[in-house]
Amino acid sequence: MSAQARRRFAQGAGALLAAACAAPGLLRAAPPAWPQRAVRLIVVYPPGGVSDGMARVLAEPLAQAIGAPVLIENRPGAGGSLGMDALARLAPDGCTLAFSAISPLTLHPLLARVPYDPQHAFVPVASVMRTPVLVVGTPAFAGRGFGALIAQARSRPGAVRWATSGVATIGHMVLAQVRMQSRTDITHIPYQGGGPQLNDALSGQFEVLSTNVAAQQLQYIEGGRFQPLAVGAPARIEALAEVPTLAELGFEKANRDSLFGIFAPARTPPAVVQRLNAEINRVLRSDGVRARLREAYNLPAGGSTEDFMREIAIDRRRNRELVAGDRSQFD
């Protein structure tokens, strides 16, 4: 290198060093391309359920979109709160996410202490699907239609028994809203699992069941063993086109469904969150994923991160009003 070239190099290096001293961030290494390793997707529910199945459907095309494996890890317990607590404790590097309903953020903290901050521990990345609620009459229910259910509850306080998957589940929220609006005394029968609940429903151990729409329940409706009374959904669902929504029946606040989505730990880089949001929305628009959602009687969601945050805020406010209106329903 000539003397003149060496002088020019030294001058350039000196200028760069001076600029770096004035603004240290200039020499800081640019963030590495994301993702540099496999992405872990915590499913906060047990294997084999509807939500677990749909997370697995989503994982494969998402892995192709981001160029890295998406590995499913089930962390069930406490209605999703255990899995969300695990996510809150992990590094915000975009390589660990969670698939969950929004209830661990919008309902569980209103009823009991949770080990995470529901409003600040997570970044809502993208909503994925809505799971409608199905309200059916069992063989023990002698009436016809939802109006007959309310009439029976008014004429015989406490005699009508309504089973759900447990306290603070979406089916329980539907029941609580129906009881408050209709001013009826309906007995809540909470279960801890779908199998025993369904077996008892078929044998007429209670009059009413609220559950997720699923193929097995639809088979029992077609066979005449269950009477469909209402659905909780934005609109009537294709598989039960003759069954009104709770909103159509005048129970707007009871017209609830389960909204599921992808979450990341707080302080995950915004660029990673936006990339994930874009890819998830692209996957949700694909014919294959939409077909799988329909097969499981789920409705595709999607939208911006801001849209998802807004849905969560609305649900939190609605749940707060419900719990404040009658806290005894959740004890």
Side-chain angles (χ1 to χ4, degrees), residues 104-124:
L105 277 64
T106 65
L107 176 60
H108 300 173
L110 301 176
L111 302 175
R113 291 181 63 86
V114 292
Y116 50 82
D117 183 336
Q119 298 193 54
H120 301 104
F122 311 104
V123 178

Side-chain angles (χ1 to χ4, degrees), residues 2-316:
S2 68
Q4 185 179 9
R6 282 195 297 271
R7 279 195 305 273
R8 287 176 180 167
F9 178 82
Q11 289 169 353
L16 180 59
L17 183 58
C21 290
L26 286 176
L27 282 184
R28 188 177 300 143
W34 173 88
Q36 291 189 309
R37 64 179 189 275
V39 172
R40 184 163 44 132
L41 180 59
I42 296 172
V43 178
V44 304
Y45 306 104
V50 172
S51 54
D52 176 67
M54 291 315 305
R56 294 174 189 276
V57 167
L58 187 69
E60 183 177 348
L62 182 60
Q64 294 174 355
I66 65 175
V70 176
L71 308 178
I72 300 294
E73 177 183 329
N74 295 91
R75 290 260 193 123
S81 293
L82 291 186
M84 293 304 285
D85 181 46
L87 180 70
R89 299 171 186 272
L90 296 170
D93 56 7
C95 289
T96 307
L97 309 168
F99 182 77
S100 175
I102 64 175
S103 53
L105 277 64
T106 65
L107 176 60
H108 300 173
L110 301 176
L111 302 175
R113 291 181 63 86
V114 292
Y116 50 82
D117 183 336
Q119 298 193 54
H120 301 104
F122 311 104
V123 178
V125 176
S127 59
V128 171
M129 68 182 191
R130 292 183 178 277
T131 300
V133 173
L134 174 63
V135 181
V136 299
T138 76
F141 178 58
R144 297 297 301 176
F146 199 82
L149 162 65
I150 299 302
Q152 285 188 23
R154 285 176 175 152
S155 64
R156 301 172 57 205
V160 174
R161 299 160 294 178
W162 183 320
T164 74
S165 297
V167 174
T169 61
I170 189 65
H172 184 201
M173 301 303 286
V174 170
L175 166 60
Q177 291 283 13
V178 168
R179 286 197 298 199
M180 286 185 67
Q181 183 175 337
S182 63
R183 294 188 174 90
T184 53
D185 179 7
I186 300 174
T187 300
H188 181 210
I189 309 294
Y191 279 75
Q192 295 299 320
Q197 177 193 46
L198 198 56
N199 290 334
D200 285 358
L202 290 168
S203 62
Q205 298 299 309
F206 45 79
E207 286 72 26
V208 184
L209 169 67
S210 53
T211 182
N212 291 336
V213 178
Q216 191 172 26
Q217 283 83 334
L218 295 180
Q219 290 174 0
Y220 292 135
I221 289 172
E222 291 172 2
R225 302 187 71 181
F226 285 162
Q227 178 194 159
L229 302 176
V231 294
R236 295 191 185 197
I237 61 175
E238 185 177 345
L240 296 168
E242 301 303 314
V243 180
T245 67
L246 285 156
E248 290 179 89
L249 293 167
F251 291 86
E252 178 67 40
K253 290 185 177 181
N255 193 46
R256 310 286 294 264
D257 55 21
S258 294
L259 179 61
F260 291 79
I262 301 290
F263 297 86
R267 298 180 299 282
T268 298
V272 172
V273 173
Q274 291 305 318
R275 168 82 187 283
L276 275 166
N277 178 270
E279 299 298 355
I280 291 167
N281 274 284
R282 191 172 294 114
V283 167
L284 288 174
R285 289 193 294 269
S286 69
D287 291 340
V289 169
R290 294 181 78 85
R292 292 294 297 275
L293 283 165
R294 285 196 301 271
E295 288 170 8
Y297 307 101
N298 293 308
L299 308 172
S304 68
T305 57
E306 292 76 16
D307 292 335
F308 195 20
M309 291 177 189
R310 200 156 35 244
E311 291 270 11
I312 291 170
I314 291 170
D315 196 66
R316 181 181 291 114

